[in-house]
Amino acid sequence: MSRRRVAILAGGRSSEHEVSLDSARSVAEALTRLGLQVSTIEIDRAGLWTLGEAPLAETALCETALSETALSETALCDTAARARALERAPLPGGAIAAALGGVEVVFPLLHGPFGEDGTVQGLLELAGVPYVGAGVTASAVAMDKDLFKAILRDRGIPVTPNLTLRPGERIDGGLPFPVFVKPARLGSSVGISKAHDPDELEAAVALAFRHDEKVLVEAFVDGIEIEVGVLGNRSPIASLPGEICVTEKEWYDYEAKYGEGQMELVLPARISERQGARARELALASFDAIECEGMARVDMFVSREGEVLVNELNTIPGFTRTSVYARLFAASGIDYPALLERLIELALERHARRGALAF
């Protein structure tokens, strides 16, 4: 691992921009201590790309257009200029690779749309650069909670019940109150509401439609919320389940996730041995169902009746030392530096495996 060149991709256009930067700083510090050469690529909220050194630094944005054949190794430019130049560039993949400065592995730490949804993963595939985490398909499917649940249902994996709405559609019964209403393709509880009656439901649906053209109305599960980490490619492992305890909010919303002292992670979760084994089994099955690789955090519920239900799968979870994913594996015997090393190894292994295929 020593002296490998790693680029951390962070920031992004989503509401989780600052969370991404926090993760990037933590990962950059840890990888530097491991002896790796670390650079950072920061995407601001407007989609402008900046190349810097680790830890994340404020650097001037490039105001010039790209050359017709390659990106500069020391500056990245705005999205529109990139698009115009790449239309003329004969080798867009090679041009992007040049912008990455000849790195050996990219570590995307972008959360939500324009980063966790397969878009950046597709860019890195075109560039031919190994990268940490899920590929294009798994990233896109996991981001779309409607498609994700449909695939899991087809595999016989139990999921939280839901209805899916598109513009102009209305709910015609089907789920008892309370319900959760969320945009189908966002993360971190943005645009999500808990509705207790028809009036709240109408307002919640309107809010969700301001964020997405597809909305999920999910059944409330009376029970315990748990999360399981998954690590690996073809032979993944699952962490111990952790229990999410919200201390000051009615449910696990954005403030509870990122506010100081508003969430307690209980490790291991206070569930039976059988339920814990079932949770790990379903986490691995969900990971496999969408052909995920690298890492994921699977969010689940254990109902009062004892049934374990899958709710979501996150392909790029928060990644500071105190983030849930890192703490799940620390409790399972894999500390933060070892976790990062393993993820880079997995990225290189997948790239070599896929590179041996004939396309």
Side-chain angles (χ1 to χ4, degrees):
M1 292 292 293
S2 180
R3 307 315 296 167
R4 281 199 181 278
R5 299 184 298 279
V6 180
I8 297 173
L9 191 55
R13 295 164 57 186
S14 81
S15 60
E16 297 171 90
H17 180 93
E18 294 299 330
V19 177
S20 171
L21 295 183
D22 286 344
S23 294
R25 292 186 188 99
S26 183
V27 171
E29 179 184 355
L31 292 181
T32 300
R33 288 182 176 178
L34 288 170
L36 281 72
Q37 294 178 271
V38 182
S39 60
T40 58
I41 300 172
E42 182 176 346
I43 305 173
D44 75 6
R45 294 181 186 276
L48 301 176
W49 292 49
T50 308
L51 187 63
E53 298 297 329
L56 294 182
E58 293 184 4
T59 54
L61 295 172
C62 175
E63 296 179 353
T64 59
L66 303 171
S67 71
E68 292 188 5
T69 57
L71 294 170
S72 165
E73 292 189 5
T74 58
L76 298 174
C77 306
D78 68 84
T79 306
R82 289 171 63 86
R84 290 194 298 271
L86 291 178
E87 286 177 355
R88 301 192 300 271
L91 294 173
I96 295 167
L100 295 172
V103 299
E104 294 171 82
V105 184
V106 174
F107 203 132
L109 287 167
L110 302 164
H111 306 304
F114 311 108
E116 196 175 354
D117 57 359
T119 50
V120 165
Q121 289 74 19
L123 185 74
L124 296 171
E125 290 283 354
L126 283 172
V129 181
Y131 60 93
V132 170
V136 176
T137 301
S139 298
V141 169
M143 177 59 62
D144 190 320
K145 300 168 187 64
D146 176 49
L147 295 180
F148 172 70
K149 287 189 174 185
I151 291 173
L152 264 59
R153 288 190 190 100
D154 187 64
R155 292 292 189 95
I157 298 171
V159 298
T160 50
N162 75 277
L163 301 172
T164 302
L165 299 177
R166 290 173 176 79
E169 297 180 345
R170 298 180 60 86
I171 298 176
D172 187 18
L175 295 175
F177 289 106
V179 294
F180 285 98
V181 182
K182 62 179 67 174
R185 294 164 290 207
L186 282 184
S188 254
S189 302
V190 175
I192 301 181
S193 307
K194 185 177 182 180
H196 303 80
D197 56 49
D199 289 339
E200 289 186 359
L201 176 59
E202 184 176 355
V205 169
L207 172 63
F209 270 128
R210 290 207 292 269
H211 294 278
D212 199 350
E213 293 182 328
K214 184 161 61 169
V215 167
L216 263 64
V217 180
E218 292 182 336
F220 168 73
V221 178
D222 187 13
I224 298 172
E225 186 167 358
I226 62 171
E227 298 184 349
V228 175
V230 181
L231 175 68
N233 287 342
R234 295 296 181 84
S235 301
I237 60 173
S239 73
L240 292 171
E243 178 182 345
I244 302 297
C245 296
V246 180
T247 57
E248 298 182 11
K249 307 285 288 188
E250 183 183 1
W251 56 282
Y252 196 30
D253 64 4
Y254 187 93
E255 292 181 4
K257 286 183 179 181
Y258 301 118
E260 187 70 27
Q262 296 201 32
M263 185 276 286
E264 178 186 358
L265 179 64
V266 179
L267 284 165
R270 293 169 295 190
I271 55 179
S272 70
E273 185 175 341
R274 179 187 63 81
Q275 290 166 340
R278 177 62 168 162
R280 297 173 79 175
E281 174 191 358
L282 292 178
L284 292 172
S286 302
F287 192 84
D288 177 70
I290 65 168
E291 300 183 354
C292 199
E293 293 190 274
M295 62 179 168
R297 193 195 70 233
V298 185
D299 303 345
M300 294 178 266
F301 292 100
V302 180
S303 72
R304 289 194 180 276
E305 294 73 32
E307 184 180 13
V308 182
L309 301 168
V310 176
N311 194 45
E312 296 181 12
L313 184 149
N314 295 273
T315 55
I316 307 181
F319 228 99
T320 67
R321 287 179 180 271
T322 58
S323 295
V324 171
Y325 183 81
R327 292 171 64 188
L328 290 172
F329 275 106
S332 305
I334 303 176
D335 65 17
Y336 193 68
L339 184 61
L340 295 175
E341 286 187 301
R342 181 60 182 143
L343 285 167
I344 290 173
E345 290 169 356
L346 289 167
L348 294 168
E349 182 275 325
R350 177 184 60 192
H351 186 74
R353 188 186 75 230
R354 288 178 54 81
L357 298 174
F359 290 103

